[in-house]
């Protein structure tokens, strides 16, 4: 298996620190608002990665944190006139709802920053004792970036360029404009915790270092996150973690690609910002997941109505192949050439686009077996399709449930069945004009009828 390592900027053979086991940490949400599609990209990308590692037989310990104390959280809580913990609990519940609808499995651990204040303070004390951090006169504690010679090794940025490009009016409390806060002194009336440097709260970067090393050890296999976290967040994590522990922090760094909307980066300022739940009001959750999975996790993804429509069409083809077929027990179906091809492409830096192509090849086999009247082979191929689909978090629904899922249509299932029955009676009476009228009315309302020798089935367009 080869994985692209952002640190070395090349694909490397993956060799876990402990044979057969993978320790993986992914930066999670700052819970002050609903998750947007960019969050969904990261959630789904690393869900697929953890699923595939387990599929390959690894014992995966997956940690994804929650940042539940932050400037944005405190500002939003103040704007709402609510206690910040009420805001964070509400947003964490919403996040869990969103990820469940997208088929994202829960991580093994989901640490919250506020539960690790003791570990954060201890790490800061270690950094100060080692000459890597200092307490400023204003009550803040800063990391001394120039104390870590390797600073910039992840982002390939040079410290002298960062200092030269620093904004005018740098806080006087800092020794260097590149230094960053490990502990922030509390403002009057602000939520805080006691510390050796006075009441305050942790800086963002130190939270992840304390949580990841506590949950996974000083050195672990994979650290992931969104593209915007590479600098400064992940760069700062490396600096403070390696200075605190004296060990290499992470072996493999992975970053998901950005989401764009109609060729532009998704942002609130451009008015093209969509939450996951807004999107799921219009599109079925599995279609959205398929859209996200069908591109390589490192690539930029362009979100548009056309791209979602294409995802719906191609996912529908896969479910069509499964419709009316009872898959054989997966245990009865040995490894096939499709399984081997699937592993080959996924072993190449989790090439999900290639894996999707394999799924469609299996679907073609099912259709061919059915045309030939070989139901046993069709059932075996269906088992392979469901088995491989599960690794991507796809094709686990009953096909009828997929086709008939209600996404806000004015007709419910009972209404549709009644109209199909009326159409059947019209056809029986040879009233084909009425039969056609009912079919056309259903089609206008987004309901497609499929007639076969076994009867009529329906699906939402």
């Amino acid at each position: 298996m080869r994985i692209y390592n952002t640190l070395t900027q090349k694909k490397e053979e993956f060799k876990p620190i402990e044979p057969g086991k993978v320790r993986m940490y992914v930066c999670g949400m700052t819970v002050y608002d609903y998750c947007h599609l960019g969050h969904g990209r990261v959630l789904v990308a690393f869900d697929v990665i953890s699923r595939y590692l387990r599929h390959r037989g690894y014992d995966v310990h997956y940690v994804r944190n929650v940042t539940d104390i932050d400037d944005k959280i405190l500002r939003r809580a103040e704007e709402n006139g609510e206690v910040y913990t009420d805001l964070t609990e509400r947003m964490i519940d919403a996040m869990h709802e969103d990820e469940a609808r997208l088929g994202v499995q829960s991580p093994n651990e989901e640490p919250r920053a506020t539960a690790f204040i003791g570990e954060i303070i201890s790490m800061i004390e270690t950094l100060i004792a080692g000459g890597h951090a200092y307490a400023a006169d204003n009550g803040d504690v800063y990391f001394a970036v120039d104390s870590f010679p390797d600073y910039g090794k992840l982002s390939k940025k040079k410290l002298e360029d960062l200092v030269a490009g620093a904004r005018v009016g740098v806080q006087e409390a800092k020794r260097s404009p590149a230094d960053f806060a490990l502990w922030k002194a509390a403002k009057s009336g602000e939520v805080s915790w006691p510390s050796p440097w006075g009441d305050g709260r942790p800086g963002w970067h130190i939270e992840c270092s304390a949580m990841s090393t506590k949950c996974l050890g000083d050195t672990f296999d994979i650290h992931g996150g969104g593209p915007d976290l590479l600098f400064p967040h992940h760069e700062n994590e490396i600096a403070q973690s390696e200075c605190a522990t004296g060990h290499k922090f992470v072996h493999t760094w992975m970053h998901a690609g950005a989401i764009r909307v109609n060729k532009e980066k998704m942002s609130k300022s451009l008015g093209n910002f969509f939450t996951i739940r807004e999107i799921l009001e219009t599109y079925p959750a599995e279609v959205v997941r398929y859209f996200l999975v069908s591109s390589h996790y490192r690539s930029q993804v362009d979100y548009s109505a056309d791209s979602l429509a294409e995802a719906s069409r191609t996912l529908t083809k896969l479910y069509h192949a499964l419709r009316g077929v009872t898959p054989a027990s997966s245990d009865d179906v040995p490894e096939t050439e499709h399984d081997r091809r699937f592993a080959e492409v996924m072993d190449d830096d989790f090439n999900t686009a290639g894996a999707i192509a394999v799924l469609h090849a299996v679907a073609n086999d099912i259709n061919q077996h059915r045309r030939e009247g070989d139901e046993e082979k069709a059932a075996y191929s269906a088992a392979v399709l469901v088995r491989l689909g599960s690794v991507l978090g796809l094709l686990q629904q009953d096909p009828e449930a997929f086709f008939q899922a209600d996404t806000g249509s004015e007709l419910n299932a009972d209404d549709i069945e009644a109209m199909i029955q009326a159409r059947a009676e019209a056809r029986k009476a040879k009233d084909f004009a009425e039969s056609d009228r009912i079919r056309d009315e259903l089609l206008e309302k987004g309901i497609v009828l499929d007639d076969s020798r076994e009867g009529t089935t329906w699906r939402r367009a």
Side-chain angles (χ1 to χ4, degrees), residues 68-69 84 113-115 117-118 121 183-184 186 190-196 198-202:
D68 62 344
I69 185 68
Y84 88 95
T114 56
I117 300 298
I121 289 173
W183 188 261
K184 297 181 177 182
E190 193 175 68
V191 61
S192 63
W193 289 263
S195 82
D199 290 351
R201 56 186 174 82

Side-chain angles (χ1 to χ4, degrees), residues 308-459:
L308 264 295
E310 177 60 23
S312 180
R313 283 192 294 271
T314 51
L315 179 59
T316 295
K317 290 179 181 178
L318 296 177
Y319 269 112
H320 261 306
L322 291 172
R323 197 174 199 181
V325 179
T326 301
S329 171
S330 186
D331 294 337
D332 296 335
V333 181
E335 184 182 78
T336 68
E337 184 58 37
H338 291 305
D339 289 279
R340 289 185 284 274
R341 176 58 182 158
F342 185 90
E344 180 183 340
V345 295
M346 286 295 284
D347 277 353
D348 183 15
D349 194 31
F350 308 100
N351 180 3
T352 52
I356 290 288
V358 174
L359 298 188
H360 283 281
V362 181
N364 289 340
D365 284 356
I366 297 171
N367 294 332
Q368 180 64 31
H369 296 322
R370 296 177 76 177
R371 284 193 295 270
E372 295 170 351
D374 195 332
E375 296 300 325
E376 183 177 12
K377 284 186 178 179
Y380 272 59
S381 292
V384 175
L385 183 54
V386 172
R387 178 167 68 201
L388 297 181
S390 70
V391 181
L392 303 181
L394 300 170
L395 304 176
Q396 302 307 291
Q397 295 186 69
D398 178 272
E400 294 309 313
F402 170 79
F403 285 121
Q404 299 176 7
D406 191 351
T407 55
S409 168
E410 61 183 279
L411 295 178
N412 60 34
D414 290 341
D415 296 332
I416 297 165
E417 292 291 352
M419 292 179 72
I420 290 174
Q421 180 60 36
R423 176 173 176 264
E425 291 171 359
R427 295 176 74 186
K428 187 176 180 180
K430 300 189 184 303
D431 187 352
F432 298 115
E434 175 64 8
S435 170
D436 291 344
R437 188 198 64 76
I438 294 173
R439 172 189 280 277
D440 292 343
E441 182 182 348
L442 285 168
L443 189 59
E444 286 175 4
K445 295 179 178 179
I447 307 302
V448 179
L449 302 186
D450 295 313
D451 294 318
S452 68
R453 286 176 296 180
E454 290 76 28
T456 300
T457 56
W458 61 272
R459 57 188 170 88

Side-chain angles (χ1 to χ4, degrees), residues 261-308:
V261 179
N262 295 323
K263 308 299 182 182
E264 294 183 301
K265 184 179 179 181
M266 186 175 72
S267 70
K268 288 184 177 179
S269 62
L270 293 173
N272 60 0
F273 181 87
F274 300 100
T275 66
I276 293 172
R277 51 192 48 210
E278 285 173 337
I279 294 168
L280 296 185
E281 289 177 1
T282 305
Y283 299 100
E286 191 170 356
V287 168
V288 177
R289 183 181 177 101
Y290 183 94
F291 159 70
L292 295 172
V293 168
S294 59
S295 297
H296 190 276
Y297 76 90
R298 285 193 288 115
S299 65
Q300 290 190 335
V301 175
D302 192 47
Y303 172 81
S304 67
D306 287 345
S307 57
L308 264 295

